[in-house]
Amino acid sequence: MSNIQLDIEWTEAASRKIEKLMPRNANKDSYLALPPVECLPMEGDVLFLGPSGKQQPFIVAERQYHHDGDADWTIILILDVPQETH
């Protein structure tokens, strides 16, 4: 059985945008819900993230796979914002 870890990284523009939507110090219970690993988005897919009613589009700019040894893997989604919002 594999052990798969999911990490999300943000471009600078995406980081600024998500920080406005979900400031780190606003609510310690805030989190982003993502689909299960078998349903993860591919490069070019759009995810709508943020608090209920205020979701904003983020594009999966890159999806990386890192083999961490044995059956351990890390999948990294690098999120960006649509070009017109840069």
Side-chain angles (χ1 to χ4, degrees):
M1 180 157 207
S2 294
N3 177 26
I4 300 173
Q5 178 179 329
L6 175 66
D7 286 339
I8 297 177
E9 295 182 4
W10 309 85
T11 63
E12 187 175 325
S15 181
R16 286 192 307 267
K17 185 173 184 178
I18 199 67
E19 179 69 27
K20 287 180 186 174
L21 285 171
M22 302 176 71
R24 292 179 194 175
N25 58 358
N27 182 356
K28 295 187 187 307
D29 296 329
S30 294
Y31 63 93
L32 297 175
L34 292 172
V37 171
E38 59 271 8
C39 301
L40 283 178
M42 300 299 290
E43 288 181 17
D45 286 351
V46 177
L47 301 175
F48 288 86
L49 303 173
S52 182
K54 296 182 181 180
Q55 292 91 359
Q56 295 292 311
F58 292 86
I59 296 172
V60 178
E62 191 174 334
R63 184 168 155 170
Q64 299 177 356
Y65 299 88
H66 296 278
H67 184 235
D68 300 324
D70 295 328
D72 297 335
W73 289 84
T74 300
I75 300 172
I76 300 171
L77 297 180
I78 301 174
L79 302 183
D80 198 0
V81 294
Q83 289 298 325
E84 62 272 6
T85 62
H86 271 240

